[in-house]
Amino acid sequence: MPKMKTKSGAAKRFRRTANGFKHRQAFRSHILTKKTNKQKRQLRGLEDVAKADVKAIIRMLPGKTKAR
């Protein structure tokens, strides 16, 4: 049986943590001049992936989901 391939787009977007996955927040890439400093500050960093999406991410990242 062949190896399972990782979806390269998902590998770039999601990071594995001890408790699940994290992703970068949307609305932070361009048109930043009209956004307030507070808005931009709160979009920094990574945010947890919604529970509803975890199952799909596990399917896309077979190498990152080792049993603990």
Side-chain angles (χ1 to χ4, degrees):
M1 183 161 188
K3 289 183 186 180
M4 292 178 64
K5 285 193 170 182
T6 297
K7 296 282 186 187
S8 60
K12 295 169 193 175
R13 287 173 172 82
F14 302 107
R15 298 281 168 260
R16 183 83 166 113
T17 66
N19 301 323
F21 293 91
K22 287 192 172 277
H23 71 96
R24 186 172 173 224
Q25 294 186 67
F27 305 108
R28 181 66 179 146
S29 56
H30 61 98
I31 314 177
L32 297 172
T33 52
K34 62 173 77 170
K35 295 183 176 91
T36 64
N37 287 333
K38 179 180 178 179
Q39 207 175 353
K40 290 184 276 193
R41 186 173 61 245
Q42 289 177 340
L43 290 171
R44 275 187 216 146
L46 302 174
E47 193 171 79
D48 291 332
V49 169
K51 281 185 179 178
D53 298 327
V54 170
K55 190 175 176 182
I57 292 171
I58 288 172
R59 264 199 313 269
M60 290 187 276
L61 302 173
K64 300 260 186 192
T65 56
K66 300 284 184 207
R68 286 177 260 148

